[in-house]
């Protein structure tokens, strides 16, 4: 199953920021993240970090593979749902675009990723 947790990336960035505030060196305790920007980061550093996160996510999702089509099981794994749930979504006319019939249903990998990127997101309310 492919899963991406941005909170781990944000935690690394937060540790780098706190480290920079205490000793002036954002890299003192984070040797694995050479692209972590300092606390007063300019916008290009943030854009570079976001770009690297997106590239890593796409690589994990297999978007850069040579096989453009995936079956229902692989699509469900990419979406993080059970294959049965994907089947139910399909029967309700929901979910990513698909083609085929019965066991020959296939999804274009790029369409699935595009569908995921177009899902609405909601901001969490502050506690």
């Amino acid at each position: 199953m492919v899963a991406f947790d941005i909170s781990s990336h944000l935690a690394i960035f937060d540790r780098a920021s706190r480290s920079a505030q205490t000793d002036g060196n954002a890299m003192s305790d984070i040797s694995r993240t050479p692209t972590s920007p300092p606390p007063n980061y300019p916008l290009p550093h943030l854009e570079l970090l976001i770009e690297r996160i997106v590239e890593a996510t796409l690589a994990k999702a297999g978007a850069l593979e040579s096989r453009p089509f995936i079956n229902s099981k692989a699509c469900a794994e990419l979406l993080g749902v059970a294959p049965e749930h994907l089947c139910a979504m399909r029967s309700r006319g929901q979910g990513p675009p698909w083609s085929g019939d019965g066991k020959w249903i296939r999804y274009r990998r790029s369409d699935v990723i595009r569908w995921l990127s177009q899902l609405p997101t909601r901001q969490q309310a502050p506690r």
Side-chain angles (χ1 to χ4, degrees):
M1 177 176 285
V2 175
F4 177 72
D5 181 20
I6 195 164
S7 62
S8 63
H9 293 283
L10 294 175
I12 291 170
F13 179 74
D14 186 48
R15 283 197 329 242
S17 296
R18 279 187 268 130
S19 175
Q21 291 171 356
T22 58
D23 66 3
N25 181 2
M27 300 307 297
S28 64
D29 65 340
I30 305 174
S31 59
R32 294 181 359 185
T33 56
T35 59
S36 295
N40 297 326
Y41 53 88
L43 193 56
H45 288 306
L46 181 59
E47 289 174 354
L48 179 62
L49 178 63
I50 291 170
E51 184 177 321
R52 293 182 115 187
I53 291 171
V54 168
E55 286 174 1
T57 303
L58 290 175
K60 283 183 180 179
L64 305 178
E65 286 185 13
S66 61
R67 297 179 304 151
F69 293 96
I70 55 176
N71 61 18
S72 293
K73 182 179 178 184
C75 181
E77 190 173 303
L78 185 61
L79 297 177
V81 299
E84 296 80 8
H85 182 73
L86 180 61
C87 181
M89 289 172 65
R90 197 170 49 244
S91 69
R92 292 189 303 260
Q94 301 172 335
W98 55 276
S99 62
D101 192 30
K103 72 175 189 174
W104 298 107
I105 291 175
R106 296 292 182 261
Y107 297 84
R108 185 181 303 270
R109 186 183 305 272
S110 59
D111 289 347
V112 174
I113 293 171
R114 187 177 308 110
W115 180 82
L116 274 172
S117 70
Q118 294 173 350
L119 288 176
T121 58
R122 58 184 170 151
Q123 302 274 336
Q124 288 184 340
R127 293 181 182 203

